[in-house]
């Protein structure tokens, strides 16, 4: 069955859902996106699009608009929480292409406009209560209606209805970390760099957005207590300031400007065992939710969307296309998720001699082999989803 004869339902109008919808519609499929919110909007937060994600946006015809809206990142600076640079890395040394700082809402708008221009229908206020697998899968809506399709794609996040249908119900687990996020004015006129202040069991990431007019802040703390997983839960800014009260003056200046802050617990499922059934598939956080410590959640969803559409198109058969999609994507997703899960400890060393030794090693590496330090993640940033369908299936 060619894509030009397929009727496809996508659940969720987030980054992965809108990307796969556009990729499929551009190949001739009849695509409808179901979104439970009343509008396509994102809460105020920033994200990073590294070269692997930008390649997908370029292929979707959205690259020029990405670069118009984004701040192009130039460097990564790791700092001690008490002040002082540990190491500075030039992103130009990677040779992989541009790194982009982007407001999440800007990326969602870009993808939504691209999807609509490709002919995708986006239906709002559509709460999904269940899906049925089979050669003719069905979406069940809370209003009592149903929608039959040739393929149903779950891009519905951590609490995915489609993931549960494929893998059984299982609650995500709390990782022992919470994160605050906020936007503040860039009053210090910070340039286009990521800055990470590393302290005992905590760190703060900051980088500019929207032409450099504001800074995106993400502050992470290890915590034994369970915290509700939610992107919309707010917190008192004073709680954030108290948690990082011993950090340096630069961090205090940024935190003093926070007047609204969201707090969420960092939760994960294991990478899904089954990414597809007979007529169901999942992608993005529904398949492999990842912690934010490699800034790859959005990029993995973009990669998934492109590869799923390309595999279905190349194979010309739903069953073969879905098998190829999981085979191409699973090992890479597992490797990125594992890297993100183990990266936080590097920022959170609490034992002073260990922290001193680690920072000394970072300084030496930055002085003696800066290119090697930044290029250790070439396997992430150099990945090309556009060419992936033609590669061996286990190439992570």
């Amino acid at each position: 069955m060619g894509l030009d004869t397929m009727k496809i339902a996508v659940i969720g109008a987030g980054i992965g859902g809108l990307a796969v919808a556009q990729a499929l519609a551009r190949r001739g499929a009849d695509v409808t996106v179901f979104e439970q919110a009343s509008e396509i909007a994102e809460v105020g937060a920033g994200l990073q699009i590294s070269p692997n994600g930008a390649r997908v946006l370029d292929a979707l015809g959205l690259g020029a608009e990405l670069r118009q809206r984004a701040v192009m990142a130039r460097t990564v600076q790791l700092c001690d929480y008490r002040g002082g640079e540990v190491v500075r890395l030039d992103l130009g040394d990677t040779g992989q292409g541009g790194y982009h700082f982007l407001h999440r809402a800007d990326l969602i708008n870009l993808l939504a406009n691209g999807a609509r221009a490709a002919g995708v229908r986006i239906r709002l206020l559509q709460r999904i209560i269940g899906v049925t697998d089979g050669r003719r899968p069905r979406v069940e809506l809370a209003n009592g209606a149903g929608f039959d399709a040739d393929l149903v794609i779950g891009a519905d996040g951590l609490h995915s209805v489609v993931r549960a249908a494929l893998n059984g119900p299982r609650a995500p687990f709390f990782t022992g970390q919470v994160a605050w996020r906020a936007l503040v004015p860039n009053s210090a006129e910070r340039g286009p760099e990521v800055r990470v202040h590393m302290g005992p069991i905590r760190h703060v990431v900051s980088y500019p957005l929207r032409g450099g007019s504001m800074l995106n802040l993400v502050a992470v703390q290890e915590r034994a207590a369970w915290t509700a997983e939610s992107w919309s839960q707010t917190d008192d800014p004073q709680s954030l300031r108290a948690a990082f009260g011993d950090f340096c003056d630069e961090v205090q200046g940024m935190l003093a400007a926070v007047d609204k802050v969201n707090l969420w617990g960092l939760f994960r499922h294991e990478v899904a065992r089954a990414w597809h059934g007979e007529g169901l598939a999942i992608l993005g956080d529904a398949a492999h939710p990842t912690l934010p410590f490699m800034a790859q959640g959005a990029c993995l969803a973009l990669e998934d969307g492109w590869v799923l559409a390309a595999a279905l198109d190349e194979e010309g058969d739903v069953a073969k296309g879905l098998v190829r999609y999981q085979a191409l994507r699973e090992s890479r997703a597992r490797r990125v998720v594992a890297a993100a899960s183990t990266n936080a400890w590097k920022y959170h060393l609490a034992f002073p001699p260990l922290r001193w030794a680690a920072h000394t090693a970072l300084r030496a590496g930055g002085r003696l082999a800066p290119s090697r330090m930044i290029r250790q993640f070439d396997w992430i940033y150099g990945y090309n989803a556009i060419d992936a369908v033609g590669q061996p299936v286990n190439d992570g």
Side-chain angles (χ1 to χ4, degrees), residues 180 182 234-244 255-262:
W180 292 265
T234 59
D235 193 26
D236 184 343
Q238 190 56 39
S239 297
L240 169 61
R241 288 188 276 269
F244 294 84
L255 298 185
V258 174
D259 58 10
K260 180 180 179 182
V261 65
N262 290 86

Side-chain angles (χ1 to χ4, degrees), residues 27-234:
R27 290 170 167 83
D30 179 356
V31 185
T32 302
V33 175
F34 294 86
E35 170 56 46
Q36 67 178 350
S38 60
E39 60 179 342
I40 296 182
E42 278 285 342
V43 294
L47 50 77
Q48 300 175 45
I49 298 295
S50 50
N52 49 308
R55 290 184 188 103
V56 176
L57 294 173
D58 282 334
L60 290 172
L62 304 175
E65 191 171 356
L66 166 69
R67 290 164 182 84
Q68 181 180 1
R69 296 187 181 205
V71 173
M72 292 291 292
R74 298 189 183 278
T75 58
V76 177
Q77 184 183 16
L78 303 183
C79 305
D80 186 78
Y81 76 107
R82 295 160 299 189
E85 179 179 292
V86 175
V87 65
R88 181 189 297 265
L89 301 173
D90 184 353
L91 291 173
D93 286 344
T94 66
Q96 299 295 348
Y99 295 74
H100 309 79
F101 303 145
L102 192 66
H103 196 291
R104 185 178 293 269
D106 292 342
L107 179 58
I108 290 291
N109 288 337
L110 184 157
L111 288 166
N113 291 339
R116 290 190 176 105
V120 174
R121 290 179 297 278
I122 301 175
R123 293 173 53 177
L124 304 175
L125 291 171
Q126 305 292 309
R127 187 166 70 86
I128 308 303
I129 60 172
V131 293
T132 304
D133 197 8
R135 294 188 63 184
R136 190 70 175 167
R138 181 175 177 83
V139 176
E140 301 292 345
L141 298 144
N143 62 11
F147 186 89
D148 296 315
D150 297 302
L151 177 65
V152 174
I153 299 171
D156 45 346
L158 188 67
H159 302 287
S160 170
V161 172
V162 185
R163 177 187 172 112
L166 291 171
N167 294 273
R170 185 173 181 180
F173 59 88
F174 179 51
T175 64
Q177 298 170 95
V178 299
W180 292 265
R181 53 186 170 81
L183 297 173
V184 299
N186 187 9
S187 56
E189 298 185 352
R190 276 264 303 281
E193 70 176 15
V194 180
R195 196 167 292 174
V196 184
H197 285 85
M198 307 176 293
I201 69 170
R202 294 157 297 160
H203 74 274
V204 178
V205 180
S206 57
Y207 53 85
L209 297 175
R210 288 183 167 167
S213 64
M214 61 178 62
L215 290 175
N216 185 69
L217 303 182
V218 179
V220 177
Q221 179 188 47
E222 295 178 19
R223 181 185 292 183
W226 184 89
T227 300
E229 190 280 325
S230 171
W231 278 89
S232 58
Q233 180 175 323
T234 59

Side-chain angles (χ1 to χ4, degrees), residues 332-392:
R332 172 168 171 81
R334 287 186 182 278
R335 190 178 178 191
V336 175
V337 168
S341 298
T342 58
N343 211 38
W345 73 269
K346 302 175 184 178
Y347 302 150
H348 290 182
L349 295 171
F351 184 49
L354 186 58
R355 187 171 65 249
W356 177 86
H359 288 189
T360 299
L362 284 170
R363 289 187 181 97
R367 184 175 64 255
L368 300 174
S371 295
R372 181 180 297 178
M373 287 188 68
I374 198 68
R375 301 200 67 162
Q376 65 180 304
F377 296 115
D378 276 2
W379 62 272
I380 292 181
Y381 307 132
Y383 178 86
N384 191 334
I386 315 311
D387 296 335
V389 174
Q391 301 299 316

